[in-house]
Each structure stands twice: as structure tokens, then as C-alpha cells.
Amino acid sequence: MNPCNLNQLGITRENPWAVGHFNIHNQEFIRAVVRAADQERSPAILAVGMLSVKYMGLEPLISACQVISKETDVPIAVHLDHARDVDVVKQALDCGINSVMFDGSALEYEENVEKTTKVVQMAHEFGATAEGEIGIVPHGTASVSEADMTNPARAVEFAERTGVDFLAVSLGSVHGMKTAGASLNQDLLRQLHQQIPVPLVLHGASGVVDDHIKAAVENGIRKINVNTGLKVVLKNFLSDKLAKDPDSDLLDDFDLGMDAVNASVAARMRLFGSSNKA
Ligand code: 13P
């Protein structure tokens, strides 16, 4: 059955658990996520972001996800993350990707509606799911202003006009934080969950403290995006290991690094409540 789309992971707007979206960049990350999903009996998303596409190439990366996802019987989706170019979405769909996110959050509202609608239609023709974004989740800033957070009336209209399957919202998280320190506007999240007819997505989860992640799941977040935190785990592990044992075989180091990422992914699955939901 693998890989599958986001609607085949068992997530619903109502069920109080969230699926982890883990950005992957090479086979070490892909296997670490797939193994954790298998051990935890948890659905999972292998997310292909633009920097990783630049690093490894779109087709090789999607193909590696497709092949390695077959190593488990728990549902695994392969998802394009933060595409800002409709042509890249089409290329990914042609490679057989199961789900796509179009990030039009930096565009004027009407242009975001128009391009996201086009992406949703294209994705559905391929049997894939589509995620859009409304509100700004910044990169590398200290905090998020009220004005950047998602406006409920706008978000309801956006979801209805575009037909997105999942909607990313801005609640106070920031992309790219190396340690967790951010909290989320849970009152805003409760309002959004009540009013928006599709499951909601949290971006920038590496920087959010665990208590706020747990509360966000209770209040309606159903997909949680993690990237930076896993890179930090691998980088810290490898720099320690190479300093302590410079003569080791590099492949053994990668294997052990994968185990460290695997443990971090599994811990997040337990935090998100997705363990034993496959
Ligand atoms: P972090 O890198 O902050 O975890 O954000 C990941 C993300 O939102 C990917 O879409």
C-alpha cells in the first residue's frame, strides 16, 4: 500500500492525535523515520523540502522515499513541502508524489487563492492530497506578530475557495529554531479548529515547547512539521562521535547517527499521540 496520501494515514479533523511530518534529506533520514514508524506502529509523512531537492534532486529523493517506505506495513505518505512554484508541484506529481504543499503565504491573498486552487485541482487529478497556508510562519525571527497570525474569517474563506485537504496556520511558531522556546496562541487555535472544515497543520514545530505541542493536539492540530530538530540531532551526534573516535568507519557512524534520529522521531510520535494509531 505504501506510499499513500495524507487522507490514507487515518487522520481526521476530529481524532485527537496528530501525524508527524518529518523532513528527510537522504537515505539516513528516510530510514530513520520509516523505522521509527514501524517500531511505534505510527503513520508518518516523509517530507521533501526545496533545500533537500537542491541537495539530492527531486526524482532521486522521491524515488528513495517510495522504495524505502515499502519496508514497513504502517502507512507512510510522501509529501512535497513549501513549494512556491506550480511547475515544481507538477514535476513532483509526475514523479508520483502522493501529497503536495503549495506555500503562497507570502503572496497577496487573491494570488494565494488562485495558485493554491490550481495546485489542489492538479493534485486531485493525480489522486494526491494538497495543503495550503494562510498566515505567516516566519523563518529565523525571534517571534511572530499578531498581524502575521492566521485570521479566522480569512482562513475559513481560503479553505472553502481553494478546496485544500489540509491547512497550515500561523499560531506563534517560527521555522528553523535549534532549541524549543516558542509557545502558541491556543485560543486562536481553538477558534480556527471550530470554524475551519479541514485538518490544521503546525509548521516550525522544532521550536515549540512540548507542553504547547500537546495542547495544540488537544486543540485541533492534526499534522506537525519537524525539520531543524532532526538535523540538530544528527549533527550533534556526528560531531561528538568524530571527535571521540576519528578512526571509525564512516558508514558505522552514519548507522549510529540514524539510530539517534530514529529515537528522536519515535519520541515525537509518542508526543503527538500517533503511536499505535497505524
Ligand atoms: P522546523 O525546521 O522549524 O522544525 O520547521 C519545519 C517545517 O515547518 C517544515 O515545513
Side-chain angles (χ1 to χ4, degrees):
M1 85 188 244
N2 276 333
C4 60
N5 70 32
L6 299 193
N7 287 337
Q8 294 164 327
L9 296 174
I11 325 157
T12 67
R13 200 183 151 281
E14 286 72 32
N15 284 352
W17 59 274
V19 66
H21 149 139
F22 302 101
N23 282 78
I24 50 76
H25 321 285
N26 55 22
Q27 81 97 20
E28 282 75 23
F29 282 96
I30 300 170
R31 271 221 163 76
V33 174
V34 170
R35 280 188 196 162
D38 192 67
Q39 289 152 2
E40 290 293 317
R41 308 308 297 161
S42 166
I45 299 168
L46 299 170
V48 174
M50 294 305 120
L51 283 179
S52 317
V53 166
K54 195 169 157 213
Y55 171 68
M56 193 165 151
L58 185 68
E59 196 172 356
L61 196 50
I62 293 174
S63 297
C65 290
Q66 289 166 336
V67 171
I68 296 172
S69 71
K70 296 191 196 313
E71 292 177 4
T72 180
D73 60 346
V74 301
I76 306 282
V78 185
H79 172 80
L80 188 69
D81 192 27
H82 285 290
R84 293 190 176 85
D85 180 341
V86 178
D87 291 342
V88 175
V89 173
K90 175 69 170 59
Q91 285 164 28
L93 290 167
D94 283 336
C95 291
I97 204 156
N98 318 94
S99 185
V100 293
M101 181 218 181
F102 181 74
D103 179 2
S105 60
L107 303 173
E108 288 298 323
Y109 177 72
E110 283 301 327
E111 193 180 351
N112 190 6
V113 170
E114 185 200 315
K115 290 194 166 150
T116 304
T117 306
K118 187 169 175 191
V119 164
V120 171
Q121 284 167 356
M122 246 163 49
H124 288 175
E125 279 165 22
F126 280 81
T129 39
E131 175 184 333
E133 178 164 331
I134 187 89
I136 310 267
V137 180
H139 199 285
T141 55
S143 62
V144 183
S145 71
E146 287 285 322
D148 282 346
M149 289 192 195
T150 301
N151 173 291
R154 267 277 152 110
V156 171
E157 191 198 281
F158 184 83
E160 283 169 356
R161 284 179 65 189
T162 58
V164 285
D165 302 295
F166 282 70
L167 184 63
V169 291
S170 169
L171 304 164
S173 60
V174 172
H175 286 110
M177 286 172 70
K178 292 201 168 69
T179 51
S183 54
L184 302 173
N185 185 336
Q186 302 286 349
D187 288 338
L188 174 59
L189 172 57
R190 275 189 288 271
Q191 276 184 59
L192 294 169
H193 178 55
Q194 244 176 24
Q195 295 176 30
I196 297 171
V198 299
L200 301 180
V201 181
L202 174 68
H203 280 246
S206 298
V208 179
V209 296
D210 283 2
D211 284 353
H212 268 262
I213 295 272
K214 266 195 198 159
V217 174
E218 278 160 25
N219 291 329
I221 287 293
R222 297 292 173 258
K223 171 176 177 284
I224 301 182
N225 291 20
V226 181
N227 181 10
T228 310
L230 301 182
K231 282 182 170 168
V232 169
V233 167
L234 185 59
K235 195 167 169 183
N236 288 348
F237 175 85
L238 288 177
S239 58
D240 278 4
K241 179 75 172 59
L242 295 175
K244 279 189 202 136
D245 189 8
D247 296 328
S248 59
D249 187 287
L250 186 60
L251 295 187
D252 292 337
D253 297 335
F254 281 155
D255 254 343
L256 292 168
M258 210 180 339
D259 290 347
V261 176
N262 176 326
S264 177
V265 170
R268 287 172 206 265
M269 287 169 168
R270 294 192 285 274
L271 178 67
F272 303 164
S274 69
S275 295
N276 299 313
K277 294 295 194 303

